[in-house]
Amino acid sequence: SGLKFVTFHGSGHMVPQLKPQAALHFLKKFISGEELAPFMPKNETLTEMSEKDFQKALNSWTLSAMADPFVTNEDEGDSDGTTAVE
C-alpha cells in the first residue's frame, strides 16, 4: 500500500527540535526512496513462534536494522531512536 508508520522515541511532536539527527536521517532516507528498516516477519509467522524463537528473530531484526544500509557510517554516534513499520 506504500503506507509507512514511523515513530521517533522521546520526541513527541517536536522531532526537529528534540531529535535533529533522527529527523535528518529520516528525511535523507525518505527523499532518496531508501527503506527505513528491514521488514519484520509477518504476524502469522510471529504468532506461531515459541518465545525463544521470537526473541531470536527480534534480536536478528534489531541487528539488521542497526547495520548498513539502514544505518551508515555517517550516522555513527547518532542514537536516533527511530522505528519503522511497513
Side-chain angles (χ1 to χ4, degrees), residues 4-77:
K4 297 177 191 278
F5 176 78
V6 179
T7 61
F8 295 83
H9 298 281
S11 62
H13 68 282
M14 301 294 293
V15 174
Q17 182 179 7
L18 300 175
K19 297 286 187 174
Q21 295 90 357
L24 180 60
H25 176 81
F26 166 75
L27 285 174
K28 286 179 179 178
K29 294 282 189 176
F30 182 76
I31 290 169
S32 69
E34 295 178 59
E35 291 296 327
L36 300 172
F39 288 109
M40 293 275 304
K42 294 183 180 272
N43 286 341
E44 297 81 26
T45 304
L46 294 173
T47 58
E48 293 174 1
M49 289 181 175
S50 68
E51 182 66 26
K52 184 178 179 179
D53 288 339
F54 175 79
Q55 287 300 322
K56 187 176 177 180
L58 185 60
N59 290 341
S60 176
W61 180 87
T62 301
L63 291 174
S64 295
M66 294 172 62
D68 195 37
F70 306 108
V71 178
T72 61
N73 288 339
E74 70 181 39
D75 301 319
E76 281 186 9

